[in-house]
Amino acid sequence: MHDLIIIGAGPAGITASVYAARKAMDFLVLTGDIGGQTAWSGDIENYTGYQFITGPDLVGKFEEHMLSYNTSVKEGEEVIAVDRAGEVISVKTHKSSYQAKAVIVASGKRSKELNVPGEKEFKNKGISYCATCDGPLFNAKNVAIIGGGNSALDAALQLVKIARYTYIINNTPQLGGEALMRQKIEQARNVEILNNAAVTAVLGGKMVNAVKINHNGEEKILFVEGVFVEIGLIPNSDFVKGVEKNSRGEIKVNSRNETNIPGLFAAGDVTDVPEKQIIIAAGEGSKACLSAFRYAAQH
């Protein structure tokens, strides 16, 4: 029986673990990976204390801080169920099961898929959901980025330095995201922005060699060797039964990060907190841990 189990090791989960360690709690971190979406980020210029840092470098700093407390982390152990019986919350993974007085769900989000012909066939054969991870594989090649928000712009800013030519396929009349990021993209000479456009199929042989799009009502073929899908994210909340969620599947929390289930807390992008930023997730992780500490002390 642990005082606390933290599910996820992105900014929210890692920050929660640091606070739990400083409170001398008996706790465990269960996670599929370390870093979460931060590890996918390219250049980060708005995290306080760092005028510039890459996503992987920031994750390295987070992990170093977490492990400096000899934190017990079970990486690669994804949670498949969370249930509360009496005063005990059980957390089940595909390997084992654990019990705790309190649990923080900080499992973040995962990429949405296009759900068009060719997507499943060409996953890892030219289709990627992480420009930071796979961008270098497309050096001097033509690529397409699907999406028009911050994640798509971040991918474009990385690929503009690597790819020969980059198409941004955006299904709205104009790009969204931060103004400074848009400005940098619009000034790049090897980027073409296609607004009011949607991918209808991914084409290829052994690997991707083109995408079929509908652009302003006209069908076009773009010859590309890489496709980066950046159309949004889905919260990793399916494994939590009985917890109240909004229409997007995000876990509802109050200002203390409490859910409708006693002893169950949530933090970061998996929740309905309106803004999804690294620094906000980290702050929410600290709040969730302080709330969980008070709950565990009372039970």
Side-chain angles (χ1 to χ4, degrees), residues 131-146:
T132 304
C133 316
D134 300 328
L137 300 174
F138 297 89
N139 183 49
K141 296 180 179 179
N142 294 340
V143 300
I145 297 170
I146 319 302

Side-chain angles (χ1 to χ4, degrees), residues 190-248:
N190 60 340
V191 174
E192 183 175 346
I193 301 167
L194 300 170
N195 292 320
N196 293 317
V199 173
T200 57
V202 180
L203 311 175
K206 292 183 178 180
M207 303 288 288
V208 168
N209 60 30
V211 290
K212 184 186 293 185
I213 69 169
N214 185 304
H215 183 217
N216 290 321
E218 295 183 14
E219 187 175 275
K220 295 181 179 180
I221 301 292
L222 302 179
F223 293 97
V224 296
E225 296 173 83
V227 178
F228 292 84
V229 181
E230 301 286 356
I231 57 173
L233 302 162
I234 302 170
N236 295 313
S237 61
D238 296 345
F239 59 86
V240 191
K241 306 303 180 184
V243 74
E244 191 175 357
K245 304 170 188 174
N246 64 17
S247 60
R248 295 183 294 275

Side-chain angles (χ1 to χ4, degrees), residues 3-5 82 84 87 89 100-105 257-266 291-292 295-296 299:
D3 293 331
L4 173 67
I5 291 175
V82 174
R84 188 176 191 271
E87 294 294 317
I89 300 179
K101 299 175 186 177
V103 168
I104 297 173
V105 179
N257 297 87
E258 297 167 326
T259 70
N260 62 305
I261 299 175
L264 184 67
F265 304 84
S291 295
Y295 179 88
H299 294 77

Side-chain angles (χ1 to χ4, degrees), residues 8-241:
I14 289 177
T15 305
S17 77
V18 170
Y19 274 69
R22 293 182 63 83
K23 290 290 188 183
M25 299 180 78
D26 174 6
F27 73 100
L28 174 66
V29 177
L30 301 171
T31 186
D33 58 24
I34 292 178
Q37 296 171 58
T38 305
W40 311 346
S41 301
D43 300 345
I44 297 170
E45 300 178 11
N46 59 352
Y47 193 86
T48 309
Y50 293 100
Q51 291 183 339
F52 172 84
I53 190 169
T54 68
D57 285 345
L58 187 57
V59 168
K61 296 289 186 182
F62 284 165
E63 184 177 11
E64 181 183 358
H65 196 170
M66 176 175 66
L67 297 181
S68 69
Y69 293 102
N70 295 317
T71 300
S72 178
V73 181
K74 292 186 179 292
E75 188 178 358
E77 192 159 347
E78 293 191 33
V79 173
I80 58 176
V82 174
D83 296 297
R84 188 176 191 271
E87 294 294 317
V88 178
I89 300 179
S90 296
V91 178
K92 185 179 180 182
T93 72
H94 63 288
K95 293 181 180 179
S96 188
S97 60
Y98 309 89
Q99 289 76 42
K101 299 175 186 177
V103 168
I104 297 173
V105 179
S107 46
K109 290 188 170 183
R110 65 185 184 275
S111 297
K112 284 183 181 178
E113 297 183 348
L114 290 170
N115 293 319
V116 298
E119 181 177 23
K120 290 183 179 179
E121 292 86 339
F122 293 108
K123 277 186 181 177
N124 301 317
K125 296 179 181 178
I127 291 184
S128 172
Y129 302 84
C130 178
T132 304
C133 316
D134 300 328
L137 300 174
F138 297 89
N139 183 49
K141 296 180 179 179
N142 294 340
V143 300
I145 297 170
I146 319 302
N150 274 337
S151 58
L153 298 184
D154 180 73
L157 288 173
Q158 296 179 62
L159 290 165
V160 72
K161 305 170 187 175
I162 299 169
R164 178 190 299 117
Y165 201 81
T166 299
Y167 298 96
I168 299 178
I169 302 170
N170 172 39
N171 66 358
T172 61
Q174 59 185 11
L175 292 177
E178 295 181 9
L180 184 59
M181 296 175 75
R182 288 201 309 271
Q183 184 179 0
K184 290 180 178 179
I185 291 300
E186 290 164 356
Q187 291 174 348
R189 296 181 178 179
N190 60 340
V191 174
E192 183 175 346
I193 301 167
L194 300 170
N195 292 320
N196 293 317
V199 173
T200 57
V202 180
L203 311 175
K206 292 183 178 180
M207 303 288 288
V208 168
N209 60 30
V211 290
K212 184 186 293 185
I213 69 169
N214 185 304
H215 183 217
N216 290 321
E218 295 183 14
E219 187 175 275
K220 295 181 179 180
I221 301 292
L222 302 179
F223 293 97
V224 296
E225 296 173 83
V227 178
F228 292 84
V229 181
E230 301 286 356
I231 57 173
L233 302 162
I234 302 170
N236 295 313
S237 61
D238 296 345
F239 59 86
V240 191
K241 306 303 180 184

